Structures are given as C-alpha cells and as structure tokens.
Amino acid sequence: MNEDTLTTLVARGLVDSVIQDFNQYANKLLELKKERKLPYISRQDVMKEMDISDGTLDNWEKHGLNRYKPRYKTTLIYYLIDDICKFIIIDT
C-alpha cells in the first residue's frame, strides 16, 4: 500500500468520525430541545434526561460547563441546552 492510499484511508476515517460526532450532537440537541420554549434546562432535568449523577455534572462544570442562576436568591441551577450538547461531544 503506498503512502497516498494510506493518507486517503486515514482522511476518510477522520471525516467519518467527524460526521458521526456531528450527527450524535444534532440528534441529542433535537432530543433536548423538543417541546421546549426556553433554551435552558434545569440541573435536575439534565440529570434525569441524561441519566447522570450530581457528581458527574459537578465534574463537567470543573471542566468548563457553564451554569446559570437567576439573579434572585435561589438554589435553582440551569444550563444552556447547546452548552450541554457541545460539552458531550467535546467530552467523548
């Protein structure tokens, strides 16, 4: 096998991988956004819909996931759905 053939195979593999990751991102985004009026999702809903623990979300925040809180005094925490989807793709 010559170098050009190997380069072509590697490039195809990378393109396939990028397409697969994009499709995974797009499907998860659609799933999370269906029937939502706001672009935010609560911490509890993220844990429930993604089947993850509180500790996992804390770990994601340590690695760059932004949290949003209302300005008034509350314990409610929200995330942008787009941020969750982007973070999942980056994390995998």
Side-chain angles (χ1 to χ4, degrees):
M1 184 181 313
N2 64 26
E3 188 174 321
D4 289 336
T5 305
L6 182 58
T7 302
T8 301
L9 290 172
V10 169
R12 282 186 189 154
L14 288 173
V15 168
D16 289 344
S17 177
V18 168
I19 289 170
Q20 183 179 5
D21 286 348
F22 176 79
N23 287 336
Q24 180 185 4
Y25 166 78
N27 289 334
K28 184 52 79 174
L29 184 61
L30 285 173
E31 182 182 319
L32 289 172
K33 281 188 169 183
K34 66 182 168 190
E35 299 182 24
R36 291 197 187 277
K37 306 238 187 290
L38 296 173
Y40 296 96
I41 184 170
S42 72
R43 183 176 181 91
Q44 294 300 320
D45 286 344
V46 171
M47 290 188 299
K48 183 174 131 188
E49 290 186 30
M50 306 280 305
D51 193 28
I52 59 175
S53 70
D54 195 46
T56 298
L57 263 180
D58 288 341
N59 190 30
W60 287 5
E61 286 181 14
K62 287 179 190 173
H63 287 91
L65 179 64
N66 293 322
R67 69 165 43 188
Y68 299 90
K69 292 178 78 173
R71 291 179 185 215
Y72 59 88
K73 188 173 183 172
T74 181
T75 58
L76 297 175
I77 298 171
Y78 296 94
Y79 302 96
L80 278 173
I81 294 171
D82 287 343
D83 288 351
I84 294 285
C85 292
K86 288 175 189 172
F87 193 81
I88 292 168
I89 297 303
I90 292 170
D91 192 45
T92 56

